[in-house]
Amino acid sequence: MTIHWPRLGVEEEFLVVDPVTREVTPGAAAVVSEAERHLGTRVCGEITKLQVETRTAACHTTVDLHAQLVEARSALASAAAAEQLRVMASGSPVLGRAIPPPMTEGPRQDRGNAMFRGLHDELSICAVHVHVESPDRERAVRISNHLRPYLPTLIALTANSPYWAERDTGYASWRTMTWHRWPVAGPPPYFTSADHYDGLVDTLLDAGALVDKGTIFWDVRLSAHQPTLEVRASDVPVSAAESAALAALVRGLVVAAGRAVDAGDPGPQVQPELMRLAYWRAARDGFGGCGVDVHSGQLKPAAELAHRLLDVARPALADMGDLDRVSEWLRQLGSEGDGATRQRRVAARAGGLTDVVDHLVARTAAREESTKP
């Protein structure tokens, strides 16, 4: 019997930078227009004029997914170069005081500006979103209950935003700290059913906390436009290989959670206070520090927590052929550090933050081995 694993897709956000000053610059519209020649609808703008987004098609394998990520990054870099610009994969700007950032215009953006106001002043941040096919909404909501405890560790694995306003924040993922000031952001609540999910979303809309269902910014959510469960906790990684490995791990966790749901396991009801603490610690320390075990409240090495996720997903990853990809990614993170660590290592050189931007630009569209960060 042929087993059909859930398809997966990835959205990646990037910052546009000036190749001379290395500062973020509002050239997104020109880059998108040029990139559409090759990528079509797989590229678009974002809420600020500093950002662009690419997306893959729905993929059956992470081999295909990785190839599409590399293709999109290459096309985006070529489009930027044609406009005398560059793009970089960083969760936050390195150079350029883009506060407030130049915003894109439109009725939806105007509603958001009126609703969120000063929160938009620090919105030039970039994430990666992983979609896993989940057409049964009831089952998807129950899977999300199982995924909640894993979110802080996913943040630590992909931490790639140490700089903000041209200074080191002391955090590995400053994007995480910035993003969670929104009224509907961070880990989702524990849901008892799809009706519970929909009812809360309707309440949030009525209360004026959402522009529309597309602005549900929980780190796990039901996609508003596709039959997928979307995991969106992570900074955009430096390389396409890391995004592909993250997507493989997320799909493995979704499949493992689905098996638990099918066996009648309702998932753990983690204390919100411990989730908040774990988010903060993961954002501060990244993969190289300690994280919080959300079940006990104890500090554990982030690498240990990451390998616990690998153990949960291991059977599914092995079945889908993704175990080596994820295992090698974790090994390389242990050896080379997360994205924030690599940015800081480059910054220690004579060139400082300009070298960091050059490093990110070069790695964003590098032709790479399948797991090389």
Side-chain angles (χ1 to χ4, degrees), residues 166-190:
E166 304 187 355
R167 61 180 288 269
D168 192 326
T169 65
Y171 282 74
S173 177
W174 188 246
R175 183 201 64 87
T176 296
M177 302 306 296
T178 299
W179 192 232
H180 289 182
R181 289 180 292 178
W182 259 253
V184 184
Y190 181 99

Side-chain angles (χ1 to χ4, degrees), residues 42 56 59 61-73 240 244 325 367-368:
R42 288 175 51 202
T56 70
C59 299
T61 70
T62 56
V63 172
D64 184 23
L65 181 83
H66 179 246
Q68 289 196 27
L69 290 169
V70 170
E71 176 198 20
R73 285 177 176 230
R325 180 186 296 274
R367 290 289 176 177
E368 55 191 13

Side-chain angles (χ1 to χ4, degrees), residues 341-369:
T341 298
R342 280 172 264 154
Q343 287 197 38
R344 287 181 172 126
R345 188 181 300 133
V346 173
R349 302 172 187 167
L353 295 185
T354 57
D355 277 359
V356 173
V357 175
D358 291 345
H359 160 78
L360 291 169
V361 167
R363 291 300 301 143
T364 294
R367 290 289 176 177
E368 55 191 13
E369 298 299 325

Side-chain angles (χ1 to χ4, degrees), residues 110-172:
D110 291 344
R111 293 197 303 273
N113 289 331
M115 182 176 293
F116 298 125
R117 306 176 187 183
L119 286 178
H120 278 178
D121 286 356
E122 299 182 4
L123 200 53
S124 51
I125 51 178
C126 295
V128 58
H129 303 158
V130 179
H131 290 259
V132 180
E133 190 173 29
S134 305
D136 184 333
R137 296 182 79 254
E138 189 70 42
R139 187 171 182 266
V141 165
R142 297 182 187 278
I143 287 172
S144 77
N145 292 335
H146 287 264
L147 298 181
R148 292 173 71 243
Y150 307 145
L151 296 172
T153 304
L154 295 179
I155 291 169
L157 283 166
T158 54
N160 188 36
S161 54
Y163 298 105
W164 184 257
E166 304 187 355
R167 61 180 288 269
D168 192 326
T169 65
Y171 282 74

Side-chain angles (χ1 to χ4, degrees), residues 17-329:
V17 297
D18 183 290
V20 178
T21 66
R22 277 76 158 199
E23 294 181 358
V24 287
T25 190
V31 174
V32 169
S33 179
E34 180 68 24
E36 284 175 337
R37 298 172 184 269
H38 183 79
L39 296 175
T41 58
R42 288 175 51 202
V43 63
C44 64
E46 256 293 338
I47 193 167
T48 82
K49 297 178 180 180
L50 307 175
Q51 299 160 285
V52 295
E53 178 182 287
T54 63
R55 61 179 67 93
T56 70
C59 299
H60 289 283
T61 70
T62 56
V63 172
D64 184 23
L65 181 83
H66 179 246
Q68 289 196 27
L69 290 169
V70 170
E71 176 198 20
R73 285 177 176 230
S74 177
L76 196 64
S78 295
E83 297 296 328
Q84 307 304 309
L85 297 166
R86 303 290 185 268
V87 290
M88 70 175 186
S90 176
S92 60
V94 177
L95 288 171
R97 297 182 180 272
I99 305 170
M103 307 294 289
T104 54
E105 295 89 10
R108 188 168 183 258
Q109 292 90 330
D110 291 344
R111 293 197 303 273
N113 289 331
M115 182 176 293
F116 298 125
R117 306 176 187 183
L119 286 178
H120 278 178
D121 286 356
E122 299 182 4
L123 200 53
S124 51
I125 51 178
C126 295
V128 58
H129 303 158
V130 179
H131 290 259
V132 180
E133 190 173 29
S134 305
D136 184 333
R137 296 182 79 254
E138 189 70 42
R139 187 171 182 266
V141 165
R142 297 182 187 278
I143 287 172
S144 77
N145 292 335
H146 287 264
L147 298 181
R148 292 173 71 243
Y150 307 145
L151 296 172
T153 304
L154 295 179
I155 291 169
L157 283 166
T158 54
N160 188 36
S161 54
Y163 298 105
W164 184 257
E166 304 187 355
R167 61 180 288 269
D168 192 326
T169 65
Y171 282 74
S173 177
W174 188 246
R175 183 201 64 87
T176 296
M177 302 306 296
T178 299
W179 192 232
H180 289 182
R181 289 180 292 178
W182 259 253
V184 184
Y190 181 99
F191 292 111
T192 58
S193 65
D195 285 344
H196 182 194
Y197 182 99
D198 293 336
L200 179 56
V201 170
D202 288 341
T203 298
L204 294 168
L205 281 166
D206 291 342
L210 302 172
V211 173
D212 51 39
K213 292 183 179 180
T215 55
I216 299 167
F217 295 140
W218 288 321
D219 286 337
V220 182
R221 70 178 185 183
L222 302 182
S223 172
H225 307 294
Q226 304 175 70
T228 63
L229 194 61
E230 182 182 1
V231 178
R232 40 190 293 121
S234 300
D235 290 355
V236 64
V238 177
S239 68
E242 291 174 279
S243 287
L246 170 68
L249 176 59
V250 167
R251 182 170 66 167
L253 292 170
V254 169
V255 170
R259 290 170 176 173
V261 167
D262 295 342
D265 185 345
Q269 297 196 41
V270 178
Q271 295 182 55
E273 296 80 6
L274 290 183
M275 284 293 290
R276 184 176 178 85
L277 175 62
Y279 261 67
W280 167 73
R281 190 74 188 223
R284 195 191 75 173
D285 289 5
F287 186 78
C290 285
V292 175
D293 182 328
V294 297
H295 303 288
S296 68
Q298 294 179 334
L299 281 178
K300 300 288 183 182
E304 177 182 326
L305 296 174
H307 279 89
R308 288 188 192 179
L309 262 63
L310 179 61
D311 288 341
V312 170
R314 186 183 302 275
L317 291 172
D319 290 345
M320 292 183 288
D322 288 333
L323 182 56
D324 287 346
R325 180 186 296 274
V326 177
S327 297
E328 177 62 13
W329 177 42

